[in-house]
Amino acid sequence: MRNPELNAGQKGPSTPEIAAWIRERIRSRRFVSGQRLVEFDITRKTGGSRFKVREALQHLEAEGLVSIEEYRGASVRSATMDEVRQLYRARGALEGICAADFTRNASQKQHAKLKKIGNDMEHAVQVGATESFATLNAQWHELIMEGSGNPAIRALVQRLNTPVHHLVFETFYRAERLLSAIADHSAILAAISNRDPAGAELAMRQHVEDGFTFLMKLDKDLHFGDEAE
């Protein structure tokens, strides 16, 4: 995606580009939990129209990343760990179904692509490329949902965007979490390769649960650090 800030004075960025610009700043903690998102400031910095900025904020509200209140405008949404737990439970169930159905329905080409992305993720871990890992990880999960043949479930999962803005992106992708994710992916891929839908579903559920377990530990560590300061 081109950087919207480089397009001021030209045609201007699209609504999805503005949404991606805001989303990246939330993820990287340049916009923090509870911070107001002023339309005028975003319009000035991105070169987008006021209408497109407002539309982008509405899209991010639907994703659960932004709150929009009457008379107060938009702000970065915060979430309790209990809410995050519920989101992870829902994701585990839905992605588990997709893993089982991918095993049944995916083409040989999709199976081969899943394996290749898995190998690329392992390489990203070896060289410490966390951003590349994150991108590949999203592609890996997206491919499983696509190959499952469940567009309704896929749409639901895409809306379960976990709002954990108080956690730093780079911190979440610690080496221990990356290695755990690689091991989980290997278990899922093994079940898929063995044509074991039930095993693939169980392994995917465990993978998502492992992610939440790590997230809870990380949240406690960060809060402990805050108290120590």
Side-chain angles (χ1 to χ4, degrees), residues 30-199:
R30 292 170 70 178
F31 293 158
V32 299
S33 178
Q35 179 177 339
R36 286 192 63 218
L37 301 172
V38 181
E39 290 181 8
F40 175 80
D41 291 342
I42 297 172
T43 298
R44 179 172 52 82
K45 290 177 181 178
T46 63
S49 69
R50 192 76 175 267
F51 172 79
K52 288 182 179 178
V53 168
R54 188 172 295 124
E55 196 172 47
L57 291 170
Q58 290 170 347
H59 288 181
L60 293 172
E61 182 185 36
E63 292 180 13
L65 298 176
V66 167
S67 293
I68 300 177
E69 298 180 58
E70 192 173 6
Y71 305 121
R72 288 180 58 84
S75 60
V76 178
R77 184 169 176 262
S78 59
T80 66
M81 287 305 292
D82 184 61
E83 181 181 1
V84 173
R85 177 185 61 81
Q86 293 175 45
L87 292 172
Y88 266 81
R89 287 187 66 193
R91 274 189 51 206
L94 294 172
E95 291 199 55
I97 292 171
C98 287
D101 286 348
F102 182 96
T103 307
R104 299 185 183 97
N105 303 328
S107 66
Q108 287 298 322
K109 184 177 179 180
Q110 288 171 320
H111 277 262
K113 186 176 180 180
L114 190 71
K115 185 174 182 179
K116 181 184 184 306
I117 295 174
N119 291 337
D120 290 343
M121 278 193 286
E122 290 187 24
H123 176 71
V125 172
Q126 291 169 3
V127 300
T130 55
E131 284 283 357
S132 295
F133 177 90
T135 299
L136 291 165
N137 183 59
Q139 292 174 0
W140 195 86
H141 282 268
E142 176 65 22
L143 179 58
I144 288 180
M145 290 187 287
E146 177 186 330
S148 72
N150 295 319
I153 293 178
R154 181 183 178 188
L156 286 171
V157 172
Q158 289 172 337
R159 294 184 63 182
L160 295 173
N161 205 340
T162 311
V164 284
H165 322 313
H166 59 294
L167 301 180
V168 182
F169 173 75
E170 290 77 7
T171 306
F172 181 70
Y173 283 100
R174 286 176 176 173
E176 60 184 291
R177 175 55 194 154
L178 297 182
L179 293 173
S180 175
I182 290 295
D184 287 349
H185 287 181
S186 295
I188 296 165
L189 186 58
I192 289 173
S193 300
N194 291 330
R195 303 291 180 180
D196 178 9

